[in-house]
């Protein structure tokens, strides 16, 4: 809290917190999990040398009943809420041995797959969602509570039951998957797990959501055995205001509809089965398209690297929109044994695509060309993002120009010159590349910008001092100077003046412009 929210009788508040702690805090359920490159005897020896790390044995209290809404009374509801539409399907299934919970990571890998033909690709193409997740809400009292959560721009409510129809159609296909396809998604889930930070990995292990070899069929069958509760938000309802769990809200019960939308005739696509690639108008001419640089490789792997041309960058909102549009390509590349992503290096967004086999590269490029947007005009970045991160994301666009239809520089690394010709010809239809990719040497002069203070929230300051020169000696001196500045900067603002809680001074590089960056929030 702060002085405004905690104004009043502070001693009384502290006493109330202490009373609550003494009455309700219990440590008998706490567990300690350690993940380290040590043997079990070494860990035991370390723990035995810590006498304070002993937990008293106390009898467990009976768990409270788990609240589950009556499905007969509330099969589908609308909740009045402004902004983006949130659409949720919630399911609670019995899971006394946590066998179903162990299969959730595999179900999430299948559900979050955005490759062409997947459930996610279908929902996005139908305009039913912009983002979607499968969340574990609770595993209390031997039950598993899952929620399908979709977010889309504000629109009229969907007919109740339309999402449920597609969800259950997809679950029925899961129960018929071959072991080969299940193993494929198991490997993808394990690869994604290994990319997580060590702290996130151990968090998932402790919560029972680490990747395991548990089959997904029992979980799919359990979810099919019930109709989900459904809740979606909308801007305005005609119902009266009432209270729910102490919160004022406006809700309205929906009547289940028979409108299931247009489901795929042949069902959803599960890989490694490949969907037919989109048609292309290329004639595979013998001439090598201009503007793409060919980098020779010795193996079968194919790599594509692109960035906005020298002197231009993407805004933070443009990069987020491009990443959202290209999610099917990213997933398809992973199915082909490769990786694809948009990464930011010194404020410049790079698109990288790698495919393990040359035979899959053409299919990936065809989808990349098909999905590539004609422009990247966007309104603004997400205002809910942490303020200092928002300033850092927007700052590179102040040092270089942006455009609704930016040009790109690109290079393709492959061993076959004929393959390079085909790939560059496919990409050049939608991705005009005016010049071979070069190492940019952008320089920027003084830049001044003012954001109006937030009326309800934090305010921030970003101050960047570019180096007068860019020699190796200048950079070494700037790093040493920033290291000297940091403790004095922090002590002055954070400790003496008590201004802000994000206070930093360090060496930073933006679009090939090195300098010293000061940030304050």
């Amino acid at each position: 809290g702060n002085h405004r929210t905690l104004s009043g009788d502070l001693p009384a508040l502290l006493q109330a917190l202490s009373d609550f702690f003494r009455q309700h805090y219990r440590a008998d359920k706490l567990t300690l999990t350690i993940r380290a490159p040590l043997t079990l005897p070494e860990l035991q020896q370390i723990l035995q040398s810590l006498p304070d790390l002993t937990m008293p044995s106390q009898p467990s209290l009976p768990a409270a009943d788990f609240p589950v809404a009556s499905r007969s009374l509330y099969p589908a509801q609308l909740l009045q809420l402004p902004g983006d539409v949130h659409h949720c399907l919630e399911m609670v299934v019995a899971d006394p041995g946590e066998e179903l919970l162990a299969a959730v990571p595999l179900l999430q890998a299948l559900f979050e797959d955005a490759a062409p033909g997947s459930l996610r690709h279908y929902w996005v193409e139908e305009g039913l969602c912009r983002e979607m997740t499968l969340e574990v809400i609770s595993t209390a009292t031997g039950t598993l509570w899952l929620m399908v959560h979709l977010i889309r721009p504000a629109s009229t409510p969907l007919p109740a039951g339309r999402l449920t129809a597609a969800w259950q159609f997809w679950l029925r296909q899961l129960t018929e998957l071959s072991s080969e396809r299940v193993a494929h998604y198991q490997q993808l889930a394990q690869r994604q797990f290994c990319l997580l930070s060590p702290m996130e990995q151990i968090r998932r292990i402790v919560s029972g959501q680490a990747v395991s070899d548990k089959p997904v069929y029992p979980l799919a069958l359990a979810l099919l055995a019930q109709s989900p509760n459904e809740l979606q938000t909308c801007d305005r309802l005609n119902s009266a205001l009432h209270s729910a769990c102490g919160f004022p809200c406006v809700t309205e019960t929906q009547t289940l509809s028979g409108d299931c939308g247009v489901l795929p005739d042949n069902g959803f696509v599960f890989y490694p089965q490949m969907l037919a690639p989109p048609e292309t108008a290329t004639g595979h001419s013998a001439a090598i398209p201009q503007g793409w640089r060919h980098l020779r490789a010795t193996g079968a792997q194919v790599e594509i690297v692109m960035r906005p041309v020298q002197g231009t960058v993407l805004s933070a909102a443009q990069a987020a929109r491009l990443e959202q549009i290209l999610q099917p390509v990213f997933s398809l590349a992973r199915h082909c044994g490769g990786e694809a992503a948009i990464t930011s290096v010194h404020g410049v967004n790079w698109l990288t695509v790698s495919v393990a086999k040359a035979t899959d590269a053409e299919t990936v490029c065809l989808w990349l060309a098909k999905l590539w947007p004609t422009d990247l005009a966007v309104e603004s970045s997400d205002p809910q993002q942490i303020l200092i991160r928002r300033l850092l994301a927007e700052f590179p666009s102040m040092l270089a120009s942006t455009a609704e239809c930016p040009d790109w520089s690109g290079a393709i690394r492959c061993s076959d010159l004929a393959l390079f010709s085909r790939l560059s010809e496919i990409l050049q239809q939608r991705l005009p590349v005016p010049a071979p990719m070069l190492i940019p040497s952008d320089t920027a002069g003084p830049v001044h910008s003012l954001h109006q203070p937030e009326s309800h929230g934090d305010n921030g300051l970003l101050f960047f001092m570019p180096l007068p020169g860019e020699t190796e000696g200048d950079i070494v001196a700037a790093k040493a100077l920033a290291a000297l500045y940091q403790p004095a900067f922090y002590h002055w603002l954070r400790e003496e003046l008590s201004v802000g809680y994000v206070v930093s001074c360090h060496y930073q590089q933006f679009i090939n412009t090195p300098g010293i960056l000061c940030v304050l929030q």
Side-chain angles (χ1 to χ4, degrees), residues 223-285:
L223 295 174
L224 273 172
Q226 60 172 276
S227 296
N229 278 349
E230 184 171 357
L231 173 69
Q232 58 179 315
T233 63
C234 61
D235 287 331
R236 185 174 297 279
L237 293 174
N238 296 322
S239 302
L241 181 70
H242 66 276
S243 176
C245 298
F247 293 94
C249 62
V250 177
T251 61
E252 186 175 292
T253 301
Q254 279 187 290
T255 303
L256 292 176
S257 169
D259 181 9
C260 300
V262 181
L263 297 174
D265 293 334
N266 299 321
F268 298 105
V269 176
F270 293 90
Y271 291 78
Q273 165 196 0
M274 292 293 283
L275 191 66
E279 296 182 0
T280 175
T282 57
H284 297 307
S285 60

Side-chain angles (χ1 to χ4, degrees), residues 73-92:
L73 293 178
Y74 306 108
Q77 279 194 307
L78 294 172
L79 170 65
Q80 182 170 303
L81 198 68
D84 290 342
V85 172
H86 293 258
H87 202 148
C88 302
L89 305 178
E90 66 91 14
M91 298 140 282
V92 181

Side-chain angles (χ1 to χ4, degrees), residues 179-416:
S179 57
E180 176 194 8
R181 292 184 182 174
V182 172
H184 174 77
Y185 283 92
Q186 192 83 44
Q187 292 173 359
L188 287 183
Q190 186 62 47
R191 279 175 56 191
Q192 292 303 110
F193 181 81
C194 292
L195 295 176
L196 299 173
S197 66
M199 184 57 71
E200 179 62 18
Q201 289 183 15
I202 199 171
R203 189 194 69 79
R204 297 199 180 190
I205 291 172
V206 172
S207 63
Q209 298 180 55
V211 180
S212 71
D213 57 357
K214 295 296 181 181
V216 75
Y217 312 109
L219 178 56
L221 289 172
L223 295 174
L224 273 172
Q226 60 172 276
S227 296
N229 278 349
E230 184 171 357
L231 173 69
Q232 58 179 315
T233 63
C234 61
D235 287 331
R236 185 174 297 279
L237 293 174
N238 296 322
S239 302
L241 181 70
H242 66 276
S243 176
C245 298
F247 293 94
C249 62
V250 177
T251 61
E252 186 175 292
T253 301
Q254 279 187 290
T255 303
L256 292 176
S257 169
D259 181 9
C260 300
V262 181
L263 297 174
D265 293 334
N266 299 321
F268 298 105
V269 176
F270 293 90
Y271 291 78
Q273 165 196 0
M274 292 293 283
L275 191 66
E279 296 182 0
T280 175
T282 57
H284 297 307
S285 60
I288 298 177
Q290 299 298 315
W292 286 89
R293 184 177 176 183
H294 179 218
L295 305 176
R296 293 192 176 275
T298 55
Q301 185 170 353
V302 178
E303 297 177 350
I304 302 170
V305 181
M306 297 172 54
R307 59 149 287 172
V309 294
Q310 180 178 341
T312 62
V313 294
L314 299 181
S315 68
Q318 286 179 320
R321 180 167 181 260
L322 184 61
E323 184 173 24
Q324 179 187 355
I325 292 172
L326 296 183
Q327 283 300 320
V329 176
F330 298 166
S331 290
L332 185 59
R334 286 192 285 270
H335 286 303
C336 295
E339 284 292 337
I342 294 177
T343 57
S344 178
V345 181
H346 299 156
V348 178
N349 293 108
W350 293 74
L351 170 63
T352 58
V353 180
S354 67
V355 181
K357 298 179 182 178
T359 52
D360 297 325
E362 190 167 343
T363 300
V364 173
C365 285
L366 285 168
W367 280 105
L368 180 60
K370 175 181 174 61
L371 296 175
W372 193 266
T374 55
D375 65 74
L376 287 173
V378 290
E379 295 180 0
S380 62
S381 59
D382 182 9
Q384 300 302 319
Q385 189 180 12
I386 294 175
L387 179 61
I388 204 66
R389 292 181 183 175
R390 203 169 94 210
L391 291 178
L392 288 170
E394 294 174 357
F395 188 67
S397 61
M398 297 166 54
L399 302 178
S401 62
T402 60
E404 293 184 2
C405 303
D407 291 324
W408 293 74
S409 296
I412 300 175
R413 184 191 298 273
C414 62
S415 59
D416 186 355

